[in-house]
Amino acid sequence: GQHHIERLVSHRACIVDPPAAKTRWTCRRSSASLETVTTPVAADYLVVGAGAMGMAFTDALIDHADVRVAIVDRRHSAGGHWLDAYPFVRLHQASAFYGVASTLMGGGRQQQRGPESGLQERASASEVVSYYERVLFERMLPSGRVELFTSCEYVGEGAFVSRISGRRFEVRPGCRIVDAAYLAPDIPATTPPPFSSANGVRVVPVNDLARVTVAPERYVVVGSGKTATDACVWLLARGVDPGAIRWVRPRDPWMLNRAVVQPDPSVFLGMVADTMQAAIAASSVDDLFLRLEAAGIMLRIDRSVAPTMARAPTIATWELDQLRTIEDVVRRGHIRRVEPGRIILDEGTVPLERDALVVHCAATGLKCPPRVPIWGPSRITLQPIRAGFPCFGAALAGYVEATRTSDPEKNRLCPPTSYGNSMAEWATMNVMGARSVAAFSAEPDIKAWSNRVALNPSRIPDGYDASALADALGRLKTHGAPGLTRLAALAGL
């Protein structure tokens, strides 16, 4: 059964609750008190987190094993942080790289109009949420092997509690706990700004930009990452003069050119070959990124500033052109406090107009906790396996969990990678990701499965024109091994 969810289907509300027998009501005079007992949950796996990684793991697991899965999440439905995302956000990569293995997000279509014509479609926030709802209600729940417990807090030891009713649930002994929230991102909608503000200063999360009704004298966008770039591009697209935007950017970022991260093996594998060639010739990590820029792989907003941040989201060149029109860029470290008339930063102050709107885009986003074995003694901790594609990594972990019995063998096949932050960490991420690909691709069944899964960026679909791949595969054969060795040396591994 599905717990604490309401869905409208053909104008009919469908609500399924836990068995009433598990709870006893006692009434005295005009008051009623709820005496709660623990409700047992029959599950082989308890997945903590119904976001992208939890859904991808569950989807692959039930596709290849006859098991029962309970998913628990603090939010009201599946979709993770997308349920709280700012309304104008889109996937920064192609839709095909996101979601679950069984169900292609979108139609795998190329954009036919606009500045990204010819590139693969990217889903909007509402499309991502709708996608997960379809996967949940049309695939997982009807299977009879998945239950979703929403608005619930996991409290450890296989137990979770409803945040709405206070009811407590507990899985049976032997149920495997799957931590799908280890890398859950912090986003502005749910994370306070990392600076204080005085009364009389307007500070809003990026979500509230879409609710502005009176234009302020100045927009002050705070943050260096993808959220801040999205906010700036959105404002410019709505006619805000570049001179009316002040961008507080503590660090400059390196970003990947979206045109070379596409679900076309000749494009993607060609980019990997170019990266290996750049690594072979690079004298340092800084030199590596300059060579990647020259190859059209990495992009930076200001060519006169050397970036120190390399989380490397993808961005299109048209967005870069827009961002370069903003000249009021503040690089004085992080904001400490915002007061009427001034912004106090690590390295001084800058003025703040009386009517300014400070836009908080400075949440940490993707987390970089320590890597741990995915299969541990007490839980399965989902993490990326190949560099930069968390949904594929979670789906791969689900497939391996379903088809292997030994945890040490599973860990050998799926060593985790972490997200990059600095340039050296980005190099480390790619070295470890390449090693992981070599490990799982050596298994014939995993290689065959991954080649059918659109989430895998390097898959070669059946019927793909081999001649289109000849150049990329030839260069990979020549430069792959020495390039990876050099990349490892640059990363200090």
Side-chain angles (χ1 to χ4, degrees), residues 111-162:
Q111 300 180 56
Q112 301 299 316
R113 295 181 299 276
E116 293 186 22
S117 178
L119 301 185
Q120 286 271 325
E121 62 183 353
R122 297 185 294 124
S124 66
S126 59
E127 288 170 332
V128 174
V129 171
S130 177
Y131 166 86
Y132 281 118
E133 183 178 79
R134 291 196 307 273
V135 169
L136 176 65
F137 286 102
E138 297 176 9
R139 170 173 165 72
M140 290 186 174
L141 298 179
S143 74
R145 292 186 287 136
V146 176
E147 291 182 281
L148 177 64
F149 297 80
T150 56
S151 301
C152 288
E153 193 79 43
Y154 181 66
V155 295
E157 303 299 324
F160 52 95
V161 176
S162 169

Side-chain angles (χ1 to χ4, degrees), residues 231-292:
C232 291
V233 170
W234 188 84
L235 288 170
L236 293 168
R238 272 138 196 85
V240 175
D241 189 281
I245 300 173
R246 176 174 298 133
W247 190 352
V248 180
R249 201 161 77 215
R251 299 185 293 168
D252 269 50
W254 282 110
M255 294 172 284
L256 279 166
N257 185 347
R258 188 173 296 133
V260 300
V261 186
Q262 293 291 302
D264 179 331
S266 64
V267 174
F268 186 83
L269 294 176
M271 179 271 293
V272 175
D274 289 339
T275 300
M276 294 300 106
Q277 286 184 263
I280 291 171
S283 60
S284 65
V285 173
D286 289 331
D287 185 43
L288 168 66
F289 275 77
L290 293 176
R291 290 176 181 276
L292 292 174

